[in-house]
Amino acid sequence: MTDTVPAGPPSAVSQTTAEDGRVELLPGAYPSASRYANDDLRPVPLADRHWGTYNFAALWIGMAHNIPSWTLASGLVALGMDWKQAVITIALANVIVLLPMLLTGHAGPKYGIPFPVLARASFGVRGANLPALIRAAVACGWFGIQTWIGGQGIFILLNEVFGGAWAKAGTIGGYPWTLWLCFVLFWALQLAIIHRGMETLRRFENWAAPFVLIGAVVLLVWIADKAGGFGPLLDQPSALGWGTDFWPVFFPALMGMIGFWSTLSLNIPDFTRFGKGQRAQVWGQSLGLPTTMTAFALLSVLVTSGSQAVYGEPIWEPVELAAKADSVFGLLFALVTVLVATISVNIAANVVSPAYDLANLAPKYINFRTGALITGIVGVIIFPWKLIATPELYIFTWLGVVGGLLGTVAGILIADYWIVRRTRLALVDLYTAGGRYWYSGGWNWRAVAAFVIGGALAVGGSHSAPGKGPFPQDGLIPFLRPLADYGWAIGLASALVVYAALMLPGRGPDLPEAA
């Protein structure tokens, strides 16, 4: 038997399969004494997998209704699209990213395991730390940035409530101390919620989703009443048309919109592991992600159109628009809506993942709550207020490149789970040194090779306009430059093919394992 499938304890004596296909460990089978196991990483028992369709739909509604996603359409309009082209692009991107989301999410309800544990099947018990830490790095960065953005939103609205007094407060580090107060309080509130665990997050998302949706609709009704209807923005023709000028803009924009949620396509098992079945996660995500993002994009276009009619210029920033409310009640309602919306997306998208990823790094010393606290601390010490000031250094360089690598990880996970193992896993071995997922010293060199090759193809062509970024004008690897605008898709497809090609020829008789 090759090191592709090392010998290990037979799954038949350690796990059982329910009638609906979901698998759980037999009593006493979980190797809790293993250095690669802790209570937060262990498979969720069937009795505790009770998230239904509404829970998953609410999760996505809560995450989609946030300040950055509100302004997605504005970025596409700025590229020359009209509002119809922008909404269509966003809709198509979210339908496309839904597919890998559902494929990687399948392991959650079936086995009750989070993303870093699923990654052990392909990268190895130790090697899984490679994709986990990359995902954690992106999440920690975005947690800090989103927290700063949320703090700024609260500061702006409270400044309006108090008649501009907050902006006149004394400064610390170049910013009013009242802004620092908003940032710290917002940071602490998020960690307090996640500290109570995933069940608290589920309950929070359940009521946050309809609340934020109502808040967005209220904003639409308010601006429509002031505008007397919509018109100027909706009447603007496309600067690109539908011909040869459109497609060179459309495909890079499509990849950018896909990249908005590509991170969640990796760690969605962190949530689906609590699902009551495949139907719940498939319908919940299908109803929650593409429909909500498309509707939210359309809503942002309509509201912005109304703002142009009322104020003479389009206001794409929802906080800036809400600050123009002419009543204290309106401002406070907008404040609470922004608060809930930002917390909803930031905790789910940027705290849950690194909490599990960091726990996977040292399970005996870091649990889910400790991982969440570390995420919060890292999100502060990276100085997000400075990173926002130099987006070309962080958002368009580090996050752009590292985010592109996540497509390669998704390709490897999908190839391993669906093509190589045909959705069959031996749970005990995912937590055991020397088991069938130990490979060579805990690492699967085939996954690493696929990651390197896919990553090189995905980001090797990264380039910058002269004076606009850190990359050479012709690209890091010039002949790969044409692939740069399609990095996520190129990385996913190439890593999937390479990994499957390396794994399948040498697979042993136990692969796929009997569940």
Side-chain angles (χ1 to χ4, degrees), residues 337-407:
T337 302
V338 168
L339 183 72
V340 173
T342 308
I343 290 177
S344 180
V345 65
N346 212 20
I347 291 178
N350 300 319
V351 179
V352 172
S353 173
Y356 282 124
D357 296 337
L358 292 168
N360 188 71
L361 182 65
K364 289 303 176 185
Y365 302 99
I366 303 176
N367 59 21
F368 179 81
R369 289 176 172 82
T370 305
L373 179 60
I374 294 173
T375 299
I377 294 173
V378 172
V380 173
I381 63 177
I382 61 172
F383 301 147
W385 49 92
K386 291 186 178 292
L387 298 176
I388 285 291
T390 55
E392 64 278 355
L393 175 64
Y394 185 73
I395 297 176
F396 299 116
T397 302
W398 182 53
L399 283 182
V401 170
V402 175
L405 297 178
L406 297 180

Side-chain angles (χ1 to χ4, degrees), residues 4-18:
T4 305
V5 191
S11 60
V13 300
S14 61
Q15 62 192 50
T16 182
T17 305

Side-chain angles (χ1 to χ4, degrees), residues 300-325:
S300 71
V301 167
L302 291 174
V303 171
T304 304
S305 175
S307 72
Q308 184 173 14
V310 174
Y311 301 107
E313 60 178 351
I315 302 175
W316 288 96
E317 174 58 61
V319 172
E320 181 182 349
L321 182 60
K324 294 182 177 294

Side-chain angles (χ1 to χ4, degrees), residues 207-488:
W207 71 263
F211 180 84
V212 175
L213 182 59
I214 291 171
V217 172
V218 167
L219 187 61
L220 175 64
V221 172
W222 169 69
I223 197 67
D225 179 65
K226 294 181 73 69
F230 303 105
L233 191 69
L234 300 182
D235 292 337
Q236 291 296 315
S238 170
L240 303 172
W242 290 94
T244 55
D245 291 336
F246 174 71
W247 301 110
V249 174
F250 168 75
F251 286 109
L254 182 68
M255 289 298 105
M257 296 302 102
I258 290 173
F260 193 79
W261 289 122
S262 63
T263 51
L264 267 295
S265 68
L266 279 186
N267 71 282
I268 195 64
D270 294 343
F271 302 96
T272 61
R273 68 191 297 229
F274 299 98
K276 62 174 61 175
Q278 296 299 339
R279 183 182 180 87
Q281 74 104 3
V282 169
W283 279 105
Q285 294 202 79
S286 299
L287 294 173
L289 173 57
T291 55
T292 300
M293 286 295 292
T294 303
F296 207 50
L298 180 59
L299 189 65
S300 71
V301 167
L302 291 174
V303 171
T304 304
S305 175
S307 72
Q308 184 173 14
V310 174
Y311 301 107
E313 60 178 351
I315 302 175
W316 288 96
E317 174 58 61
V319 172
E320 181 182 349
L321 182 60
K324 294 182 177 294
D326 48 11
S327 71
V328 173
F329 174 78
L331 286 168
L332 290 176
F333 180 79
L335 171 65
V336 175
T337 302
V338 168
L339 183 72
V340 173
T342 308
I343 290 177
S344 180
V345 65
N346 212 20
I347 291 178
N350 300 319
V351 179
V352 172
S353 173
Y356 282 124
D357 296 337
L358 292 168
N360 188 71
L361 182 65
K364 289 303 176 185
Y365 302 99
I366 303 176
N367 59 21
F368 179 81
R369 289 176 172 82
T370 305
L373 179 60
I374 294 173
T375 299
I377 294 173
V378 172
V380 173
I381 63 177
I382 61 172
F383 301 147
W385 49 92
K386 291 186 178 292
L387 298 176
I388 285 291
T390 55
E392 64 278 355
L393 175 64
Y394 185 73
I395 297 176
F396 299 116
T397 302
W398 182 53
L399 283 182
V401 170
V402 175
L405 297 178
L406 297 180
T408 68
V409 177
I412 293 169
L413 262 60
I414 292 170
D416 183 79
Y417 183 70
W418 287 97
I419 299 175
V420 177
R421 306 188 191 281
R422 300 171 193 164
T423 76
R424 303 178 196 172
L425 298 172
L427 286 175
V428 169
D429 287 344
L430 291 171
Y431 303 89
T432 306
R436 71 186 70 207
Y437 308 117
W438 189 249
Y439 299 100
S440 298
W443 288 77
N444 182 7
W445 68 264
R446 296 163 183 83
V448 176
F451 175 78
V452 171
I453 294 171
L457 293 174
V459 303
S462 298
H463 58 277
S464 302
K468 298 294 185 179
F471 300 116
Q473 184 177 356
D474 295 329
L476 292 171
I477 305 175
F479 75 91
L480 294 179
R481 190 180 189 278
L483 303 181
D485 291 333
Y486 313 96
W488 180 84

